[in-house]
Amino acid sequence: MAIKSPEKPAAATSSYKVIGTRPVRPDGADKVTGRAVYGADIRLPNMLRGRVLRSPYAHANIKRIDTSKAAALPGVKAVVTGADWPGISNKIEDLGEDTVNLGDLAKNLLAVGKVLYKGHAVAAVAALDDATAQKALGLIEVEYEQLPVVLDVRESMKPGAPLLDDKRFTDSLGTKSSEPSNVARHIRFELGDVAKGFAQADVTLEHEYRTTMVHQGYIEPHNATALWGSDDNLTVWCSTQGAFAVRDNLVELLKHPTGKIKVVPLEIGGGFGGKLGVYLEPVAALLSKKSGRPVQLFMSRTEVFEASGPAPGTSISIKIGATKDGRITAAQADLAYEDGAYPGAGAGAGCMCMLAPYDIPNILLDGRDTVVNKPKTAAYRAPSAPQAAFAAESLLDELAEKLGMDPLELRLKNASHEGTRQVNGQTFRRIGYIETLEAAKASAHFASPLGQPAPGKKRGRGVASGFWFNGGFKSSAYAQVNADGSVSLVEGSVDIGGTRASIGMQLAETLGIPFDKVKPTVADTDSVGYNAMTGGSRTTFASGWAAYEVGMDIRRQLVERAAEFMERAADDLEYVDGEVRSKTGDSKMTFAELAAKVNGRGAPVVGRAAVSPMGAGPAFATHIVDVEVDPETGKVDVLRYTAVQDVGTAIHPSYVEGQIQGGAAQGIGWALNEEYFYDDKGVLRNSSFLDYRMPTTLDLPLIDAVLVEVPNPGHPYGVRGVGEVPLVPPMAAVSNALHQALGVRVRELPMSPRRLLEETGVIGK
């Protein structure tokens, strides 16, 4: 279902010929037939297999590492440890969604001095075959001094908690603490006068909400193949969301020139933010340099869970005050995020997203990033926003109940709109949050009765909303016009969710040619200009903008060349609907005719563009969910789900719907089952897909995606990113539905049968 706003970008949506259609994705045939090349498909002559030795302890000093026996094993060609880093600096690297300290990153890839979580990499080997590499790991002698662990975000902040790094001091509002701490950063956002706002409130509610770490659940494990040649050129093949980010990290970690590093992005079997950073690529490069041969590394599924980046767990306390008629006067919250072993969880993003859907005059938010003895966290779709929304949207539901208001009406009464000032001081341009609420109210789902539950079971319906900024950042592309009228497009944004199509469609629209005439290719870092990561819902927006500029460049060139062929002044010609026409209408040349002529005479036509657009339009969503609960077992069935989202302009509606449905499915898993379950020693006890319970098709209903199109005024085609915000509302929506069904409120995720039994007091009775 699509609902269109009366506001349009420069060209009306209805006038588009390519945008809004649903062509077959250009990479589809390769992927369904097995021709697409993934990390496991790379085979190089004389290639070695690598393995990584990982810590059995969650917190320990490394007293001694002896690799001599492993190095002497026949078939072993290289062994590396943290001592092989050419130099560790504390430079901060911004990857768009993930800002890292390169010193911490190096220590995370190969530990130096300490291990900070079970699974922390300690050493790596490269051998002729996998069996030899595995045997060599057993010959590496590591002497550990075990240390106490801290696993809970609130416990880690207490005085006397075990310190992960006695040289880490809290950066609190720009001032360093006098004593070392596990709190890496304390930030604050303030708007208006909170004390005054709460004094104006007739009703005040306050609660704490907690979430655990969860994994993105991508199917393909991390991998890397590296060849450090005798000419000192390094080539790395990997499954990544950002080939240029990988290259930049390799430059810094290996102290190697940019011009001597090429990163080849392969097809990617899922990422969702979890493949923005590096884990194996620098280690494979070190092994290749030391052995003089190509080296390939893979993570096992257990390694993926234990040693790659999950989303952070949180403890969020929030207080909201409102008048009797439902106007929110003030909100205050304390957001504590588990960074894992090293800082970087991003409490700041949680603060800025938490209340963004609402026009609240008085807000005070404190955010804290805290280290614990778990793997360093990574982005997971709208990173840090889902946890914050779980708290805010759950408390809003409680507020609606307290006031006797419909939950959607409460949200409508306080909805952000154009001109609303955000907690970060910025004001919204044209946004579509109100439209999502109105579409949710008008939906068949919301209007339908909840229905009678099965005998002995209970039903409930919940709603929740969510927000994500969306990103811009740098993108580059170029395209060549071919003699047959086709266009070869080269871009550098890794394709995760169909972006070859969404970017190519914008080029086709700009040129006025059919989409099947555009042949998009994702290139390596030597073959195209700089492109930021595929993440933050930036790719269709920013790389699509680059494609638009490429098209405009081609149009200008074709007008100039047509002037030669038509013997007219260029100023007398214009490019319209895939043709160059005289303004008097007496002559024209089609794109196909021009393509043949320019390739037959003179220089070829190549369009180029490099952009760093700043007009990313934020995204809002409102979700509705019906659940049925078995009070005897605590099993929750999701009966119906509707996700309403302002998508700007839906370039390829099928892929937009797929992003929304995928985010909702992941959010349902996060709400009901998924969690990192650690014992008191810091050992992850569910590090497999058998024990880490993700929803399957048997657990999910058909998810209805309602596309509300309020075009982004900051983009030529009105594009808003769509991939992040679908993950933000589901946890709160499911929680609110469960509350209606059971009459009790669960304020900790996941709301599994175990937690329902332990916390509600109604399950099993």
Side-chain angles (χ1 to χ4, degrees):
M1 179 189 299
I3 298 174
K4 303 199 183 291
S5 163
E7 178 178 321
K8 307 296 180 191
T13 304
S14 59
S15 70
Y16 295 144
K17 292 183 170 60
V18 177
I19 289 173
T21 63
R22 302 174 186 251
V24 175
R25 58 191 296 168
D27 54 321
D30 284 349
K31 287 180 175 174
V32 300
T33 59
R35 292 194 302 264
V37 178
Y38 292 84
D41 298 318
I42 294 296
R43 295 290 183 271
L44 301 176
N46 300 314
M47 187 171 72
L48 304 176
R49 289 298 301 271
R51 282 276 187 165
V52 177
L53 180 68
R54 300 185 181 276
S55 169
Y57 306 115
H59 196 192
N61 288 321
I62 301 174
K63 306 293 288 184
R64 181 180 65 91
I65 300 179
D66 185 349
T67 63
S68 59
K69 292 180 181 178
L73 181 69
V76 172
K77 301 299 180 182
V79 184
V80 296
T81 68
D84 289 282
W85 293 123
I88 298 177
S89 67
N90 286 323
K91 179 180 177 182
I92 302 299
E93 183 78 7
D94 187 357
L95 303 181
E97 280 201 3
D98 196 10
T99 301
V100 298
N101 179 305
L102 288 164
D104 289 342
L105 176 59
K107 294 174 187 176
N108 189 44
L109 300 176
L110 285 172
V112 176
K114 249 190 168 190
V115 292
L116 298 178
Y117 56 93
K118 185 189 181 297
H120 198 160
V122 174
V125 302
L128 294 176
D129 54 65
D130 188 64
T132 303
Q134 184 66 37
K135 184 176 180 181
L137 293 186
L139 297 176
I140 298 175
E141 298 176 1
V142 186
E143 181 182 345
Y144 295 101
E145 177 191 15
Q146 291 190 62
L147 299 170
V149 300
V150 59
L151 301 168
D152 178 81
V153 63
R154 291 293 179 189
E155 293 296 321
S156 73
M157 294 190 290
K158 292 180 178 178
L163 291 174
L164 274 69
D165 184 348
D166 59 11
K167 294 182 175 59
R168 175 165 288 118
F169 297 82
T170 304
D171 182 350
S172 179
L173 310 181
T175 302
K176 290 287 186 181
S177 62
S178 58
E179 298 292 329
S181 171
N182 289 323
V183 181
R185 184 176 64 144
H186 166 221
I187 57 174
R188 174 171 290 171
F189 292 88
E190 191 167 4
L191 183 67
D193 185 335
V194 171
K196 180 181 177 182
F198 280 118
Q200 296 170 343
D202 298 310
V203 176
T204 301
L205 291 177
E206 182 175 10
H207 289 295
E208 180 187 12
Y209 300 84
R210 296 180 70 103
T211 69
T212 64
M213 283 186 171
V214 294
H215 201 269
Q216 299 86 351
Y218 38 80
I219 300 301
E220 181 194 31
H222 291 273
N223 59 82
T225 303
L227 172 58
W228 198 307
S230 57
D231 57 0
D232 221 23
N233 285 310
L234 170 63
T235 303
V236 174
W237 296 260
C238 57
S239 298
T240 176
Q241 292 179 239
F244 287 88
V246 172
R247 186 190 68 179
D248 291 348
N249 277 322
L250 291 170
V251 167
E252 299 292 343
L253 291 168
L254 303 175
K255 309 302 178 188
H256 203 56
T258 303
K260 286 187 169 293
I261 300 176
K262 178 171 73 174
V263 176
V264 183
L266 305 171
E267 298 295 350
I268 183 170
F272 312 108
K275 290 182 181 173
L276 289 172
V278 292
Y279 295 97
L280 300 178
E281 296 90 342
V283 178
L286 285 176
L287 289 168
S288 180
K289 183 179 183 181
K290 205 165 190 178
S291 66
R293 294 169 63 167
V295 175
Q296 189 171 76
L297 286 170
F298 294 103
M299 281 190 183
S300 67
R301 182 59 59 187
T302 295
E303 288 177 304
V304 170
F305 276 113
E306 290 187 343
S308 69
T314 60
S315 171
I316 299 175
S317 297
I318 179 171
K319 177 182 178 182
I320 292 181
T323 59
K324 292 178 181 177
D325 65 352
R327 186 72 181 97
I328 299 174
T329 58
Q332 183 172 353
D334 183 273
L335 300 86
Y337 281 72
E338 290 179 353
D339 292 24
Y342 299 99
C351 289
M352 288 186 282
C353 293
M354 185 180 202
L355 298 167
Y358 305 105
D359 187 2
I360 302 174
N362 307 294
I363 302 175
L364 178 62
L365 304 176
D366 287 284
R368 292 174 175 82
D369 291 326
T370 303
V371 294
V372 293
N373 292 120
K374 299 176 184 179
K376 181 190 180 306
T377 56
Y380 183 3
R381 277 182 145 154
S384 301
Q387 302 94 318
F390 169 60
E393 294 291 314
S394 295
L395 193 63
L396 275 174
D397 204 66
E398 296 190 54
L399 180 63
E401 184 178 24
K402 185 83 171 178
L403 294 170
M405 289 185 68
D406 177 87
L408 281 182
E409 289 297 336
L410 177 64
R411 288 166 172 82
L412 272 167
K413 192 176 190 69
N414 295 280
S416 288
H417 48 79
E418 185 175 3
T420 293
R421 188 181 179 196
Q422 303 170 67
V423 74
N424 62 6
Q426 298 177 359
T427 56
F428 283 122
R429 298 176 70 186
R430 181 73 174 94
I431 57 174
Y433 178 46
I434 290 174
E435 285 84 345
T436 71
L437 292 169
E438 291 173 340
K441 279 189 66 177
S443 69
H445 185 169
F446 193 75
S448 68
L450 187 56
Q452 290 297 316
K457 298 184 179 182
K458 298 182 178 181
R459 286 189 178 184
R461 174 173 294 166
V463 301
S465 295
F467 164 87
W468 182 249
F469 317 94
N470 291 331
F473 310 114
K474 301 173 185 176
S475 281
S476 304
Y478 69 88
Q480 176 176 309
V481 177
N482 302 316
D484 64 352
S486 65
V487 179
S488 299
L489 170 65
V490 179
E491 42 104 357
S493 295
V494 175
D495 188 345
I496 296 182
T499 52
R500 283 184 181 91
S502 65
I503 295 167
M505 289 172 72
Q506 291 177 73
L507 176 59
E509 187 70 53
T510 305
L511 293 176
I513 62 176
F515 172 67
D516 62 9
K517 290 295 185 180
V518 176
K519 308 298 180 185
T521 299
V522 177
D524 61 63
T525 56
D526 278 357
S527 303
V528 71
Y530 192 93
N531 278 264
M533 76 291 171
T534 297
S537 290
R538 65 162 295 277
T539 309
T540 297
F541 169 81
S543 294
W545 195 319
Y548 166 80
E549 294 294 350
V550 166
M552 296 303 291
D553 189 16
I554 290 173
R555 286 170 54 153
R556 286 189 290 269
Q557 294 180 56
L558 289 178
V559 167
E560 292 172 0
R561 299 294 291 277
E564 301 173 19
F565 304 140
M566 300 166 70
E567 299 181 346
R568 306 285 288 265
D571 289 345
D572 293 336
L573 303 176
E574 59 184 350
Y575 193 104
V576 180
D577 291 336
E579 298 176 341
V580 175
R581 305 172 184 171
S582 64
K583 293 179 180 178
T584 57
D586 59 346
S587 60
K588 67 179 182 179
M589 292 186 72
T590 67
F591 184 89
E593 291 169 340
L594 282 166
K597 276 191 170 291
V598 298
N599 282 279
R601 180 171 52 169
V605 171
V606 178
R608 303 181 302 275
V611 301
S612 184
M614 303 300 292
F620 292 86
T622 299
H623 291 194
I624 311 167
V625 60
D626 294 351
V627 301
E628 186 170 82
V629 190
D630 185 338
E632 290 191 3
T633 65
K635 185 178 186 299
V636 178
D637 291 315
V638 179
L639 304 177
R640 188 173 183 180
Y641 204 102
T642 299
V644 185
Q645 184 170 321
D646 171 18
V647 301
T649 299
I651 301 296
H652 193 303
S654 294
Y655 301 156
V656 172
E657 291 162 357
Q659 289 286 342
I660 294 171
Q661 291 160 343
Q666 288 177 312
I668 290 168
W670 195 336
L672 294 177
N673 299 106
E674 296 183 40
E675 63 177 321
Y676 266 36
F677 190 87
Y678 284 92
D679 65 18
D680 59 2
K681 301 294 185 183
V683 177
L684 183 63
R685 290 300 186 183
N686 60 332
S687 57
S688 73
F689 278 144
L690 179 64
D691 297 314
Y692 183 89
R693 180 75 169 84
M694 292 173 59
T696 71
T697 55
L698 299 177
D699 303 301
L700 299 169
L702 294 176
I703 296 170
D704 187 15
V706 178
L707 311 186
V708 176
E709 297 191 77
V710 179
N712 170 23
H715 188 274
Y717 292 124
V719 170
R720 298 181 194 271
V722 300
E724 311 293 303
V725 79
L727 184 60
V728 180
M731 287 73 79
V734 173
S735 174
N736 294 338
L738 277 174
H739 170 67
Q740 188 182 97
L742 295 173
V744 294
R745 177 68 61 174
V746 182
R747 300 189 178 94
E748 185 170 354
L749 300 182
M751 295 170 285
S752 60
R754 175 181 65 85
R755 181 152 287 119
L756 292 176
L757 172 64
E758 293 172 354
E759 300 205 8
T760 68
V762 299
I763 300 302
K765 294 185 179 180

